[in-house]
Amino acid sequence: MLELSKYSLGVGDRFGSSAGAQLRAIRLAAAEGIDITPVWNKSNREHEIIGSEPADTAVAARRAVEEVGWDGPYHVDADHVTLSTVGRFVDSSDYFTIDVADSIGVGCPKEDVDAFLVRHPELIGEGGVEGLSEPLRIDEPEARRLAGQYLAAAEEAGRIYRRISESRGGSFVTEVSMDETNRPQTPSELLLILAALADAGVPVQSIAPKFTGRFNKGVDYEGDLAAFEREFNDDLVVIKYAVEAYRLPETLKLSVHSGSDKFSLYPIIRSAMRRHDAGVHLKTAGTTWLEEMIGLSEAGGDAYELVRDIGREALGRIDELCAPYGSVIAIDPARLPSESEVSRWPAERFASAIRHQPHDPGFNPALRQLRRNRTSVERNVVANLLERHIRPLFGSERP
């Protein structure tokens, strides 16, 4: 098994053009004593939208490593893969985010549920997991309901894991994603999920549950901060218990998907990591794309014309472009500018509309030639990752 470092950062790069800038931000953080492993992630859906191949992501990562002179670990993530899509990633990725959201709630035979609960009597009743904000209480009917909801998903994760292992041996990191659903998972559900994954033979090192509140792409968290804090701390307690009880990898940690720009959560996550001596994997997938657009806007001229054309085209295809992301976006069309309005914006107005500065009156949370303007683009990419994400979450006062 390829081991995942304690702190890791998913640095999505839609066009593979900013990997070097992303890595420079992480190297600057390393000079400040912040050790983070970069993980370049790109999903099958993103490859299909752009027309790229998984091998392109690996090539961009290797080029960045050589360009920056990075000698630390790094990974290339086959993000949100399923059994039908994983095949195209096995040769170029060494990190696999197995997505089984579609298998949640499909049900499984009663005899499978019976056998699972016989193997795991600790899931029924009260107590067993110490250090939670309140004891776990699961009676047998509830345990049966939860097992019926998640066992098929865990078994699907096992099938995907074995498919990868057949091709790569054990030289990869396994993450399991259950976040792209409509209902958050409680710490009790997380415990049952981890027990089921262990039974399915999945050596999961990173688990992405659905947290309470909204994790919309590219904007701050929407929800009850106190509820999230209780849940996140309880999840860390559950993970520590599950590692020992189910012999899961000691490197197992929480993964926060759509974690980019969740500024209000970073102090909570940071405090929880310190309290429990825990790691975290934070995915910042959409951030780089937006910073590239900001950089091109600031460059002006033809670069800004390109950005404005992209904006007008996107507004005209909003339903089509938003459809695949229903669980992780909440865009109010009434707050979007019209195509004609965007056409009249000067470059600095467009940049301020998508740069995530919540107190800037120009910022709009509903709206969000790279080589020629590389200096402007990379300045924004580096500053965004280092100043808005890495330092607030992992900064000088280490977790």
Side-chain angles (χ1 to χ4, degrees), residues 103-399:
S103 297
I104 295 174
V106 302
C108 63
K110 179 180 179 299
E111 55 268 26
D112 290 352
V113 172
D114 291 342
F116 176 75
L117 294 180
V118 167
R119 289 194 302 273
H120 296 288
E122 77 283 356
L123 296 175
I124 300 174
E126 180 178 322
V129 182
E130 298 180 357
L132 296 168
S133 59
E134 58 183 40
L136 297 182
R137 296 182 179 90
I138 310 178
D139 58 21
E140 184 171 343
E142 176 67 359
R144 287 186 173 279
R145 185 188 72 80
L146 293 177
Q149 186 168 1
Y150 292 111
L151 282 186
E155 290 168 359
E156 179 70 359
R159 284 188 285 271
I160 299 171
Y161 170 78
R162 288 188 291 276
R163 168 68 177 85
I164 302 165
S165 187
E166 287 168 2
S167 299
R168 296 190 59 87
S171 59
F172 60 95
V173 174
T174 303
E175 175 172 320
V176 175
S177 165
M178 296 196 177
D179 67 303
E180 292 199 353
T181 62
N182 293 321
R183 191 179 66 81
Q185 289 137 12
T186 66
S188 298
E189 289 173 84
L190 178 60
L191 180 61
L192 186 144
I193 288 167
L194 291 173
L197 289 172
D199 285 1
V202 180
V204 57
Q205 293 191 64
S206 185
I207 180 78
K210 172 75 169 179
F211 296 108
T212 188
R214 292 285 304 188
F215 282 74
N216 294 326
K217 288 184 177 292
V219 294
D220 205 353
Y221 174 77
E222 295 180 13
D224 186 331
L225 291 176
F228 175 83
E229 183 170 18
R230 286 192 303 273
E231 180 181 83
F232 196 85
N233 276 275
D234 284 349
D235 283 349
L236 292 179
V237 172
V238 164
I239 281 179
K240 186 175 182 179
Y241 173 88
V243 165
E244 297 179 2
Y246 308 133
R247 298 183 179 179
L248 289 167
E250 293 183 359
T251 48
L252 176 59
K253 60 184 179 178
L254 285 174
S255 180
V256 183
H257 284 200
S258 296
S260 53
D261 295 9
K262 301 302 178 286
F263 304 134
S264 60
L265 296 185
Y266 293 166
I268 293 172
I269 297 173
R270 178 184 172 125
S271 176
M273 287 193 294
R274 184 184 304 115
R275 177 181 176 186
H276 299 280
D277 189 25
V280 73
H281 181 62
L282 182 80
K283 290 200 175 184
T284 63
T287 299
T288 297
W289 158 245
L290 292 174
E291 295 303 320
E292 288 173 338
M293 294 299 100
I294 292 168
L296 290 173
S297 297
E298 291 179 339
D302 291 345
Y304 177 50
E305 287 300 319
L306 172 64
V307 172
R308 204 154 50 178
D309 287 345
I310 292 172
R312 285 194 296 260
E313 172 116 3
L315 286 169
R317 299 170 57 193
I318 184 169
D319 292 338
E320 171 196 347
L321 296 173
C322 289
Y325 300 94
S327 64
V328 288
I329 59 174
I331 295 174
D332 180 1
R335 297 189 61 191
L336 291 172
S338 66
E339 294 179 50
S340 60
E341 183 180 356
V342 170
S343 298
R344 296 192 300 271
W345 277 358
E348 60 272 14
R349 175 69 182 88
F350 199 106
S352 68
I354 56 178
R355 177 180 286 116
H356 199 169
Q357 298 282 16
H359 302 299
D360 184 337
F363 173 59
N364 185 340
L367 180 68
R368 211 26 181 124
Q369 297 172 347
L370 295 178
R371 290 190 180 90
R372 188 192 309 173
N373 299 281
R374 184 171 181 176
T375 300
S376 179
V377 168
E378 292 194 350
R379 180 179 64 250
N380 283 278
V381 172
V382 171
N384 175 64
L385 270 184
L386 182 63
E387 297 171 12
R388 296 186 192 142
H389 293 81
I390 294 173
R391 284 175 178 158
L393 188 58
F394 302 103
S396 56
E397 186 184 349
R398 292 299 304 278

Side-chain angles (χ1 to χ4, degrees), residues 41-47 77-86 89 95-102 160 175-181 208-209 217 255-258 283 285 324-325 327-328:
N41 55 274
K42 191 170 181 180
S43 68
N44 188 69
R45 180 165 57 195
E46 293 297 322
H47 282 297
D77 179 10
D79 196 19
H80 286 281
V81 290
T82 63
L83 197 58
S84 63
T85 62
V86 69
F89 290 88
Y95 187 121
F96 291 82
T97 298
I98 296 173
D99 190 332
V100 291
D102 288 345
I160 299 171
E175 175 172 320
V176 175
S177 165
M178 296 196 177
D179 67 303
E180 292 199 353
T181 62
K217 288 184 177 292
S255 180
V256 183
H257 284 200
S258 296
K283 290 200 175 184
Y325 300 94
S327 64
V328 288

